[in-house]
Amino acid sequence: MRSNPKALTGLLLLGVFVVLAVAGPWLAPFDPSQRSSDLLLPPSSAHWFGTTHLGQDIFSQVLVGTRSVVFVGAVAGVVATVLSVLVGVTSGYLSGSAGEGLSALSNVFLVIPALPLIIIITSSLPQTSNLTIALTIGLTSWAWNARVLRAQTLSLRRRDYVEAARATGESTWRIIVFEILPNLTAVIASGFVGTVLFAVVSEITLAFIGVSDAGGWNWGTVLYWAQSQQALAQGAWWWFVPAGLAIAVLGTALSLVNFGIDEYVNPRLRGRTSARGVRMRVGFTPVLSEEAS
Amino acid sequence: MSFLLKRFAFYLVTAWAAVTINFLVPRLIPGDPVQALITKQRGQMTTEAVRSLYVLFGLDKNESLAEQYVHYLGQLLRGDLGLSFTFFPSPVADVIGTGLPWTVGLVGITTVIGFAIGTAAGTVAGWRRGSWADALIPITTFLSSIPYFWLGLVAIALLTGPASFFPAGGAYETGLVPGWDWEFVGSVLRHSLLPAVTILISSVSGWILSMRNMMVTVSSEDYVTVAHAKGLSERRVMVAYAARNALLPNVSGFALALGFIVGGTLLVEIVFSYPGLGLQLFQAVGAKDYPLMQGIFLIITLSVLLANLLADVAYLALDPRTRREG
Amino acid sequence: MSDRVLEIRGLTVQYGLGADAVQAVRDVTLTLHRGEVLGLAGESGSGKSTLAYGMTRLLPPPGVVRGGEVLFHTDDGETVDVLRMRDAELRRFRWAEVALVFQGAMNSLNPVQRVSTQLMDVIKAHAPRSSAMSRKARARELLALVNISADRLDSYPHQLSGGMRQRVMIAMALALEPRVVIMDEPTTALDVVVQRQILSTLAELRERLGFSVVFITHDLSLLAEFADRIAIMYGGRVVEEAASADLYRTPLHPYSDGLLRSFPALKGPRRELSGIPGSPPDLRAMPAGCAFHPRCPRAMDRCGDHSPELGVPTGHAGDDRTVACWLHPVV
Ligand SMILES: Nc1ncnc2c1ncn2[C@@H]1O[C@H](COP(=O)(O)OP(=O)(O)OP(=O)(O)O)[C@@H](O)[C@H]1O
Ligand SMILES: [Mg+2]
């Protein structure tokens, strides 16, 4: 981990978001929905991120909204990861038509555009809450990881130690749990992180077009109000910049973690290619000059 | 050819799955919001229109699910997607017909251009690993984490205004009559420039990253070393040996990712009030216009499937191994 | 010395830089004469491929050449050092003078281009003014050299068998009539019959065209027939070098002896097959003294603390054989 600065930075940033998700409502200086007479003020020491057209404190909105974002990301990530492991590993391990069928199922879900699908489902629900949104996202976004896991399982299945375990008559589920899953840890982790990123962006997007937890706050609802109150036309940049930056920083943190995992899985991406003034190049091996060595 | 046939069969199955999801969602979810809307508008609707909405949303409780399904499919095949409530009393099919060309023009073209630019930049970034090109990575990571629509908001805030060259929204100057004349085409281009750049900036970075990683992986293949050993020019090794092979997984990744990308790009239309399917979807969600939402979902899915088929054709042309031997 | 074509002097190659670098080739000196086949043998991991790619500067990162010289004597008597060439010079030199056939030619061909394209682009790169017609004719001629019919020109690599691909690679290596061809286990992946066919084609081509070959393998019995001289590598060093008949009859280094006993002899005296106990050394923790001494059946006290130098053993007439072993003090 120490040798992987990208993953470390990403994890630290994620830790900060999780802490804010837990403590946000206590840390927030105002009730995010509370109106006041400070209408549409730019950032100041009283209102760090300024106020809305109703005098609500945007800093508190963003802070309180973190919980919903982290919650939806985590729940959707877990649901999608569990599904993808079930479908992907099973379809990779089972030979024949059962495996093919499951693989076709994940391809179907992969090709159907996810966001419009999520929109028609969530907006048909009688009431929308963070949980239903998270479940909808989780249930519709497992296909990519299932596909990756299937490919990995297919190749693991042919490894010697798996063949050997099968030959000694170990039960299928024991082989899957003890021989195959441990080798998929990195892939599963990277799939989880990717899904969390997708879920977060989806939730915010949904909230931005008006589908969100009734009465709750998240970064997307902040942007929704900013957009519907023409914050831009009024020059109220502070209304949409903080929420957007929060998304970008969270997204970057998740991507960094995934880069770390990628480099761990694919060593070709890792090696430093220049050090001590020597640039390593494919096709032209450097020759160290006497002084440099 | 068998490769394409197989893919085609798969897309048919997927299209069928999308239709079936569309059929099931309103029937599985309790509450009849459509019923309420119909009741409200009843006076202004013909009996056929009411009938068609009944078929689409399973409001006729006397029919079994199987019967409903048969009627539903039959009605879709006739192209009848019901009436839109937002654009009352236009049929959904007509509403989508006005939005689709704008979306194909904006989202379709920019997605392809974004892929092309990103792949080219990723080729160079992967090839020149360990040089200045590595600085691209943190920047692109950050950019690719920003939702498309937010970037659009920033662009509007910074670049538009009463005196600006860029209009803040719409697809063309109000008052112009659509037609193939310079004034109209010029206005369309000017209006689509900013949304297009927004989509490009957000989508390009993903392609840069994936192409770069593929280039790094492919660069250590034996045939690339052989190409160097042959004394070929740097350019030829990079393009004809490394990039040519790295492109293949990127093209299949493009096909697979379309379903994800389209969602994000549609949102850009909302921000720029660009009159395509994304804006219509937004309006439909706001007004709880279920027929329009479902119609748009179907059309977007079909377009993505068609785009996938095109990507398959491209893949077929690029990879001799998928062609039939002979 | 007009008959030398390639001289490697004190070549050291390592993976990585700084403290965690491992030296996979250490201070290797070898000479290749015109028209000769030099066999390079050693266990897996002894540094044969690293030597081959290091001296042509084709070693992928994190490989770096630490030092030494790789001198090439051109036909007009000039001497160039491959390690001191600039990129453009190196590109011009490559394939025109030294061509390679890689370990596992399965992956040596670009999967998305036709065989003809890959044969012709190397000609075009080195003779930009040649006509497309003449290049095509040359490609056809090259395939004929390795007994492949001309209608395979339009094939893609995946349409060829493993043996055919290997032949295509050999044909490609000969495209510019290089002085030296380096072959890294060119036939290991193939079955014995195909392996024989390719080797005899190769022997015949060499007679006819007169290039020199560096032939890398871990199968010594193959070299006995095919090579003129053999160098044995262990732990990144050359431990013995001799005419192939001499090495075969009287191996001096216990490691060479062990290697010979690892393969059934195809001809010559039968040996007891015993192999070598133990496993190759860890490059990160090389034993002190002679790297082979922990596995050596005849190790002495001295082997543990002093590393033997490569040199002509006393009692050997002439200077065409060298060994690095305390059993055979050098002059
Ligand atoms: N990228 C690398 N980083 C560190 N060490 C390496 C690397 N590549 C090879 N080595 C080490 O260098 C040594 C020599 O490898 P090399 O491939 O030259 O062996 P070889 O003699 O060609 O073996 P084989 O007969 O299996 O082809 C090995 O011990 C190997 O572990
Ligand atoms: Mg080797």
Side-chain angles (χ1 to χ4, degrees):
Chain A
M1 198 50 72
R2 223 174 319 124
S3 58
N4 204 329
K6 283 182 195 151
L8 199 63
T9 319
L11 285 175
L12 278 178
L13 282 173
L14 282 187
V16 172
F17 279 108
V18 171
V19 169
L20 290 183
V22 175
W26 291 296
L27 294 178
F30 296 90
D31 175 346
S33 308
Q34 182 199 324
R35 304 177 182 198
S36 73
S37 52
D38 299 339
L39 303 185
L40 215 54
L41 291 182
S44 64
S45 57
H47 300 284
W48 288 6
F49 293 169
T51 60
T52 70
H53 67 302
L54 298 174
Q56 296 154 327
D57 179 49
I58 295 174
F59 178 64
S60 303
Q61 293 181 345
V62 172
L63 209 54
V64 171
T66 311
R67 179 177 287 185
S68 156
V69 171
V70 171
F71 173 80
V72 170
V75 172
V78 169
V79 171
T81 305
V82 170
L83 276 176
S84 67
V85 171
L86 284 178
V87 175
V89 175
T90 323
S91 81
Y93 193 80
L94 295 181
S95 45
S97 51
E100 293 294 321
L102 282 176
S103 145
L105 181 73
S106 35
N107 283 343
V108 166
F109 266 90
L110 194 56
V111 174
I112 294 180
L115 195 65
L117 178 61
I118 295 172
I119 290 177
I120 65 162
I121 295 179
T122 46
S123 57
S124 306
L125 290 172
Q127 81 258 13
T128 40
S129 68
N130 282 331
L131 187 64
T132 52
I133 290 175
L135 288 178
T136 310
I137 297 175
L139 290 173
T140 49
S141 58
W142 48 271
W144 182 280
N145 299 329
R147 194 186 146 89
V148 176
L149 283 169
R150 172 181 150 85
Q152 290 287 322
T153 310
L154 275 174
S155 79
L156 281 174
R157 199 169 62 137
R158 293 192 207 94
R159 298 269 168 87
D160 293 341
Y161 57 86
V162 177
E163 300 275 6
R166 224 181 341 204
T168 57
E170 267 194 64
S171 70
T172 303
W173 77 265
R174 271 192 75 88
I175 298 181
I176 291 186
V177 172
F178 292 106
E179 312 287 348
I180 297 204
L181 279 185
N183 287 293
L184 293 174
T185 322
V187 183
I188 295 175
S190 126
F192 174 76
V193 175
T195 313
V196 171
L197 180 53
F198 175 75
V200 165
V201 172
S202 297
E203 185 209 2
I204 289 163
T205 307
L206 282 175
F208 179 68
I209 63 173
V211 181
S212 66
D213 189 76
W217 285 99
N218 72 48
W219 302 338
T221 17
V222 177
L223 294 173
Y224 171 79
W225 287 111
Q227 168 82 353
S228 59
Q229 293 305 317
Q230 313 262 320
L232 293 170
Q234 307 186 41
W237 54 268
W238 58 87
W239 203 344
F240 63 88
V241 166
L245 283 185
I247 302 168
V249 173
L250 178 58
T252 307
L254 290 165
S255 310
L256 284 175
V257 173
N258 248 357
F259 285 167
I261 301 176
D262 273 355
E263 292 183 358
Y264 172 78
V265 176
N266 183 355
R268 286 177 188 180
L269 295 177
R270 194 180 327 152
R272 277 201 303 165
T273 50
S274 58
R276 297 151 202 268
V278 182
R279 183 169 157 233
M280 306 243 183
R281 271 201 301 164
V282 173
F284 293 86
T285 311
V287 178
L288 301 186
S289 56
E290 259 68 62
E291 320 87 72
S293 63
Chain B
M1 229 42 238
S2 76
F3 168 76
L4 272 190
L5 276 181
K6 252 199 232 152
R7 297 301 294 168
F8 194 71
F10 167 70
Y11 294 133
L12 281 184
V13 171
T14 311
W16 167 80
V19 167
T20 306
I21 291 176
N22 232 358
F23 170 79
L24 287 177
V25 164
R27 285 167 178 78
L28 289 180
I29 287 166
D32 294 316
V34 180
Q35 184 76 64
L37 286 167
I38 293 176
T39 320
K40 214 165 73 190
Q41 306 263 20
R42 172 142 276 173
Q44 303 155 47
M45 269 196 262
T46 63
T47 35
E48 286 140 76
V50 173
R51 176 81 221 132
S52 113
L53 288 173
Y54 265 61
V55 171
L56 287 173
F57 292 91
L59 298 176
D60 189 341
K61 302 297 180 205
N62 300 323
E63 279 187 321
S64 72
L65 205 62
E67 280 170 331
Q68 291 184 17
Y69 193 48
V70 172
H71 283 146
Y72 179 81
L73 291 182
Q75 186 168 326
L76 282 195
L77 284 180
R78 269 180 277 119
D80 181 354
L81 298 169
L83 283 193
S84 160
F85 293 114
T86 346
F87 300 89
F88 196 79
S90 301
V92 166
D94 290 0
V95 176
I96 291 177
T98 60
L100 189 61
W102 294 111
T103 298
V104 171
L106 178 69
V107 174
I109 294 178
T110 47
T111 305
V112 172
I113 296 181
F115 175 74
I117 298 180
T119 303
T123 300
V124 178
W127 191 249
R128 302 222 176 284
R129 193 155 81 111
S131 70
W132 56 269
D134 285 359
L136 272 176
I137 305 309
I139 302 171
T140 49
T141 309
F142 185 73
L143 284 180
S144 66
S145 316
I146 301 175
Y148 290 54
F149 67 86
W150 190 72
L151 206 62
L153 289 172
V154 173
I156 292 178
L158 293 180
L159 298 178
T160 65
S164 163
F165 169 78
F166 296 109
Y172 51 89
E173 218 73 58
T174 39
L176 283 181
V177 186
W180 289 110
D181 54 84
W182 276 119
E183 200 187 355
F184 180 71
V185 172
S187 169
V188 166
L189 287 180
R190 199 153 62 88
H191 280 74
S192 55
L193 207 56
L194 217 46
V197 170
T198 305
I199 297 177
L200 280 184
I201 291 180
S202 317
S203 65
V204 123
S205 29
W207 301 124
I208 295 184
L209 291 175
S210 70
M211 186 64 179
R212 172 187 180 270
N213 283 0
M214 278 322 299
M215 281 296 282
V216 170
T217 309
V218 166
S219 291
S220 53
E221 293 286 346
D222 279 353
Y223 50 80
V224 175
T225 312
V226 171
H228 280 299
K230 282 157 82 172
L232 304 181
S233 68
E234 175 117 28
R235 208 186 135 82
R236 175 142 184 105
V237 182
M238 175 174 94
V239 175
Y241 286 74
R244 185 65 175 65
N245 282 285
L247 185 62
L248 295 175
N250 231 30
V251 168
S252 34
F254 177 73
L256 291 176
L258 271 178
F260 287 99
I261 300 173
V262 164
T265 45
L266 288 178
L267 269 283
V268 174
E269 292 184 356
I270 301 176
V271 176
F272 287 95
S273 317
Y274 201 81
L277 296 183
L279 188 62
Q280 293 176 345
L281 185 61
F282 176 59
Q283 291 162 334
V285 170
K288 298 222 173 289
D289 183 351
Y290 294 97
L292 186 54
M293 267 187 254
Q294 297 222 316
I296 291 177
F297 168 68
L298 272 189
I299 293 303
I300 294 176
T301 307
L302 291 182
S303 320
V304 168
L305 292 185
L306 190 68
N308 258 276
L309 196 62
L310 294 181
D312 283 340
V313 174
Y315 193 93
L316 194 68
L318 286 172
D319 189 350
R321 285 163 295 189
T322 49
R323 273 176 242 158
R324 224 199 165 76
E325 302 191 13
Chain C
M1 279 277 163
S2 71
D3 77 323
R4 299 182 169 189
V5 58
L6 194 65
E7 284 181 80
I8 303 168
R9 289 198 194 144
L11 185 67
T12 297
V13 182
Q14 66 189 28
Y15 289 103
L17 290 164
D20 36 46
V22 290
Q23 291 199 353
V25 165
R26 299 161 189 243
D27 194 20
V28 164
T29 298
L30 274 177
T31 302
L32 181 70
H33 299 268
R34 268 174 215 279
E36 105 180 325
V37 177
L38 173 66
L40 202 55
E43 283 168 303
S44 186
S46 55
K48 308 180 296 292
S49 303
T50 309
L51 173 61
Y53 304 134
M55 72 194 212
T56 46
R57 293 185 53 198
L58 287 167
L59 207 58
V64 286
V65 175
R66 175 72 179 273
E69 289 180 324
V70 177
L71 303 177
F72 180 84
H73 302 285
T74 63
D75 284 352
D76 11 298
E78 274 178 71
T79 300
V80 288
D81 185 346
V82 179
L83 301 186
R84 304 227 162 8
M85 283 183 183
R86 276 173 285 120
D87 288 1
E89 278 175 279
L90 192 56
R91 265 190 211 107
R92 243 177 289 123
F93 171 81
R94 282 177 171 171
W95 222 255
E97 306 287 8
V98 176
L100 292 100
V101 178
F102 283 67
Q103 181 162 9
M106 292 302 181
N107 308 321
S108 296
L109 286 163
N110 184 349
V112 297
Q113 283 185 343
R114 294 175 199 280
V115 167
S116 53
T117 317
Q118 300 185 52
L119 283 171
M120 282 154 36
D121 70 352
V122 64
I123 305 175
K124 183 164 186 206
H126 291 271
R129 266 192 273 276
S130 61
S131 71
M133 285 274 281
S134 71
R135 289 199 291 267
K136 189 103 185 176
R138 176 69 180 150
R140 202 168 283 136
E141 201 177 294
L142 286 167
L143 285 193
L145 273 184
V146 293
N147 304 323
I148 293 182
S149 71
D151 54 10
R152 285 302 187 168
L153 272 179
D154 288 333
S155 298
Y156 286 96
H158 71 278
Q159 297 166 324
L160 305 178
S161 72
M164 277 174 157
R165 270 181 254 183
Q166 196 56 272
R167 283 164 193 272
V168 169
M169 284 317 292
I170 293 173
M172 195 182 294
L174 302 176
L176 306 176
E177 304 191 345
R179 292 287 104 211
V180 175
V181 179
I182 299 174
M183 301 195 165
D184 187 3
E185 312 206 24
T187 56
T188 353
L190 306 174
D191 69 62
V192 187
V193 180
V194 180
Q195 190 173 340
R196 290 267 128 207
Q197 284 173 355
I198 289 182
L199 281 182
S200 62
T201 312
L202 196 61
E204 184 190 300
L205 285 172
R206 194 183 58 92
E207 292 284 284
R208 188 135 50 101
L209 305 174
F211 50 87
S212 317
V213 178
V214 176
F215 194 96
I216 299 175
T217 178
H218 49 253
D219 184 351
L220 259 182
S221 55
L222 208 66
L223 288 182
E225 309 177 45
F226 184 61
D228 300 309
R229 275 170 347 107
I230 297 179
I232 307 279
M233 286 189 76
Y234 185 79
R237 285 183 200 277
V238 173
V239 294
E240 182 166 8
E241 191 197 342
S244 78
D246 289 345
L247 189 113
Y248 212 59
R249 225 177 301 118
T250 52
L252 295 181
H253 201 287
Y255 177 64
S256 317
D257 190 46
L259 267 191
L260 282 169
R261 290 178 192 282
S262 308
F263 294 93
L266 293 175
K267 58 182 191 190
R270 293 217 169 267
R271 286 175 227 270
E272 184 196 342
L273 277 185
S274 54
I276 310 167
S279 49
D282 176 6
L283 294 179
R284 287 171 199 284
M286 288 293 267
C290 170
F292 187 59
H293 86 264
R295 302 169 72 190
C296 184
R298 303 175 63 186
M300 307 173 286
D301 287 348
R302 188 165 18 155
C303 302
D305 24 79
H306 296 283
S307 185
E309 294 272 313
L310 188 69
V312 181
T314 43
H316 179 78
D319 62 352
D320 60 340
R321 134 160 249 180
T322 51
V323 66
C325 178
W326 290 120
L327 292 170
H328 307 278
V330 298
V331 285

